[in-house]
């Protein structure tokens, strides 16, 4: 079994421990630190996080609802395989909503958040040179979240996150195997410039092309990592 990385709770109070275990397990699953198919033991997880089995069991239930773990009676729990249909559905939803948001951003976007987008781009450029997969994914997510924040649509962003896990796992897998990240950075940069110039048509086109990258290489990933996919 792959080692589960521990976290420290400031004060493991009832209720908070379950949320913390859930959040950390989800992070490790999405980042492929716990790859698809990894068996999970209530006992081992509770020991790793220094909590009782109850918050671990509750975390497994929540993760199962998001199709991130599979709970099999009498057979244990394991990290779910990536479901290509859910990847495609999540990408469809993101494309519709993010194209609408980037058009809104071209009409009105706060100056302070434009500056934040610019800082994010500078970090992305540096990350491309270092080829830090986890950091690039975090910066990618942060860039898109800032767009929603600037358009006062963070509630919509939260809805996207609820069904984004399978898509995010495939994105992480792609980043970890594709050595060419420059086009990803350039699309973000061009999107930013389109927002600054209030060019809705260009921003919309770039966003559509950008999000299509999320699924363009899905067949390649399925062939290369057949044990990771349903």
């Amino acid at each position: 079994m792959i080692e589960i990385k521990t976290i420290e709770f400031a004060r493991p109070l009832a209720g908070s421990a379950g949320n913390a275990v859930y959040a950390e397990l989800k992070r490790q699953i999405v980042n492929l630190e716990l790859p698809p198919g990894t068996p999970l033991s209530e006992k081992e997880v509770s020991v790793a996080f220094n909590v009782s089995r109850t918050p671990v069991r509750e975390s497994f239930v929540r993760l199962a609802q998001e199709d991130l773990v599979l709970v099999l009676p009498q057979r244990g729990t394991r990290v779910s395989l990536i479901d290509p249909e859910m990847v495609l559905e999540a990408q469809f939803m993101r494309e519709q909503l993010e194209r609408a948001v980037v058009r809104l951003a071209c009409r009105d976007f706060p100056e302070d958040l434009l500056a934040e987008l610019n800082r994010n781009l500078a970090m992305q450029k540096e990350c491309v040179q270092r080829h830090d997969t986890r950091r690039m994914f975090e910066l990618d997510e942060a860039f898109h979240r800032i767009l929603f924040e600037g358009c006062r649509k963070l509630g919509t962003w939260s809805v996207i996150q609820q069904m984004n896990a399978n898509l995010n796992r495939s994105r992480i897998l792609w980043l970890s195997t594709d050595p060419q990240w420059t086009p990803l950075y350039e699309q973000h940069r061009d999107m930013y410039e389109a927002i600054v110039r209030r060019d809705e048509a260009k921003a919309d086109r770039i966003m559509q092309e950008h999000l299509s990258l999320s699924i363009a290489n899905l067949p390649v990933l399925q062939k290369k990592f057949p044990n990771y996919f349903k």
Side-chain angles (χ1 to χ4, degrees):
M1 180 181 295
I2 292 177
E3 179 183 358
I4 298 172
K5 299 181 180 180
T6 60
I7 53 177
E8 294 182 359
F9 304 124
R11 303 180 71 181
L13 304 176
S16 65
N19 289 334
V21 172
Y22 159 78
E24 177 62 10
L25 284 176
K26 180 174 180 177
R27 186 195 67 77
Q28 291 189 30
I29 291 170
V30 170
N31 284 320
L32 301 179
E33 294 170 26
L34 292 172
T38 301
L40 297 173
S41 159
E42 277 187 19
K43 180 181 178 180
E44 292 181 15
V45 173
S46 65
V47 170
F49 291 115
N50 193 29
V51 296
S52 71
R53 292 196 185 191
T54 299
V56 174
R57 192 174 302 117
E58 292 171 350
S59 298
F60 284 180
V61 170
R62 292 174 66 182
L63 292 167
Q65 291 171 345
E66 297 181 44
D67 196 40
L68 286 176
V69 303
L70 184 63
V71 181
L72 300 170
Q74 312 302 321
R75 294 171 57 188
T77 300
R78 64 182 61 246
V79 177
S80 297
L81 300 180
I82 300 172
D83 186 339
E85 289 299 319
M86 294 191 72
V87 171
L88 294 172
E89 187 171 352
Q91 191 276 341
F92 173 81
M93 179 178 69
R94 281 197 69 161
E95 181 176 327
Q96 308 312 308
L97 294 175
E98 295 213 36
R99 288 177 65 187
V101 162
V102 80
R103 290 195 298 269
L104 287 175
C106 289
R107 300 170 198 170
D108 181 30
F109 203 81
E111 288 295 327
D112 60 325
L113 291 180
L114 268 178
E116 194 169 335
L117 283 177
N118 200 29
R119 286 192 293 271
N120 179 287
L121 285 169
M123 290 186 287
Q124 282 189 45
K125 188 174 183 179
E126 179 183 341
C127 194
V128 168
Q129 296 169 348
R130 296 201 320 267
H131 217 75
D132 185 335
T133 299
R134 184 184 302 175
R135 183 60 177 152
M136 190 63 183
F137 176 76
E138 291 172 350
L139 290 169
D140 188 336
E141 283 289 278
F143 183 91
H144 289 265
R145 186 186 184 282
I146 294 167
L147 293 179
F148 280 79
E149 182 179 358
C151 296
R152 298 175 295 281
K153 295 291 184 288
L154 282 180
T156 306
W157 176 256
S158 296
V159 170
I160 289 175
Q161 298 312 301
Q162 292 173 16
M163 62 176 296
N164 221 18
N166 277 278
L167 175 60
N168 284 345
R169 287 199 288 172
S170 69
R171 288 169 60 204
I172 288 278
L173 196 57
W174 168 61
L175 284 173
S176 67
T177 56
D178 191 334
Q180 300 299 325
W181 293 356
T182 300
L184 182 65
Y185 159 75
E186 290 177 343
Q187 286 180 332
H188 284 142
R189 181 201 61 200
D190 293 347
M191 217 179 298
Y192 165 81
E193 292 175 353
I195 292 170
V196 171
R197 294 173 181 150
R198 299 178 181 271
D199 189 338
E200 285 189 43
K202 184 174 182 180
D204 178 64
R205 176 178 56 79
I206 296 170
M207 180 65 84
Q208 185 177 28
E209 293 172 355
H210 176 68
L211 292 176
S212 70
L213 291 177
S214 302
I215 59 171
N217 61 342
L218 185 59
V220 175
L221 293 175
Q222 288 177 270
K223 185 175 181 179
K224 190 170 184 178
F225 302 95
N227 294 333
Y228 278 14
F229 290 87
K230 288 185 178 179

